[in-house]
Amino acid sequence: MRRPVLIALLLSAYGATGAWGSPRPPVSARQPSLVGPVWTLSEYRPAGGGPPIRPAESEIYQLGFQEGGRLTARLSCNRGTGRWAAKNGRAATGSITIGPIAATMRGCLPGNLDRLAADLDRVRAYAIKAGRLHLTIAPDARATEGGTAGGGDYVWTPGG
C-alpha cells in the first residue's frame, strides 16, 4: 500500500517541476502567445490619456496571428486576411508590422472603432500583459478620424 502512494507522490513532484527540476508555472499563470489564440478587441486607449473607446455591442473585431506570418481579421461585419511580421511572435513583447490587409467591403453600421482597419498598418509594437495583447500604433497627423492621430494602444483579450 505504501509503494503506490510513494510512486504517485514522486510522479506528482516530477510533473510539477519538469525534467530539469525547474518549477513550471501553473497553467493559469502562463501568458498566451501572440500566435495561436483569436484575439478579440476590448478597447482602444489613446496615448494622451483620454477615456478608452470600446466597440459598440454590435461590433466584433478579432485578429488571428498564424505561423508563417498569415493574419486573419474580423472587422465588424467584414472579414480580411493579410500578413504580419515580428522578430519573435512567441515572445511577450516586440516590434511588429501588420499589413496590407485585404478585406471585404460590406456596408457595416457605423461604429465606435471604424478606424481600426486603417490603423493596423500603423501598429509598431506589441506586448502581452496580464494575458491581454496590446498593439501600439504610431502617431499620425493624417489620422484625425476616431481620435487615433496621437497614437495609442488597441487592447485585445484571447478567445472569441
Side-chain angles (χ1 to χ4, degrees), residues 12 67-68 93 108 110 113 119 125 127:
S12 175
E67 293 288 350
T93 63
C108 305
L113 292 162
D119 282 345

Side-chain angles (χ1 to χ4, degrees), residues 3-160:
R3 180 171 240 155
V5 171
L6 180 60
I7 291 172
L9 286 173
L10 289 173
L11 288 174
S12 175
Y14 178 78
T17 61
W20 304 106
S22 60
R24 289 185 194 166
V27 173
S28 61
R30 294 184 191 149
Q31 288 281 8
S33 169
L34 179 65
V35 176
V38 171
W39 295 96
T40 301
L41 182 64
S42 61
E43 64 187 14
Y44 171 74
R45 295 180 184 166
I53 302 168
R54 292 183 178 82
E57 233 177 85
S58 61
E59 295 177 292
I60 297 176
Y61 297 94
Q62 295 177 322
L63 296 177
F65 296 89
Q66 300 172 1
E67 293 288 350
R70 185 168 184 263
L71 177 77
T72 58
R74 179 174 178 185
L75 306 167
S76 192
C77 72
N78 288 301
R79 305 289 188 274
T81 60
R83 308 290 303 160
W84 69 277
K87 193 169 194 174
N88 182 356
R90 298 230 177 256
T93 63
S95 61
I96 187 171
T97 56
I98 297 175
I101 302 292
T104 59
M105 300 293 289
R106 293 179 56 196
C108 305
L109 294 173
N112 295 342
L113 292 162
D114 291 339
R115 179 99 199 128
L116 174 64
D119 282 345
L120 287 175
D121 70 342
R122 293 174 45 214
V123 172
R124 296 294 174 258
Y126 76 93
I128 300 175
K129 304 175 196 171
R132 295 164 57 115
L133 171 64
H134 295 251
L135 293 178
T136 302
I137 61 171
D140 182 355
R142 295 170 297 158
T144 57
E145 189 179 327
T148 65
D153 283 350
Y154 282 99
V155 183
W156 308 75
T157 56

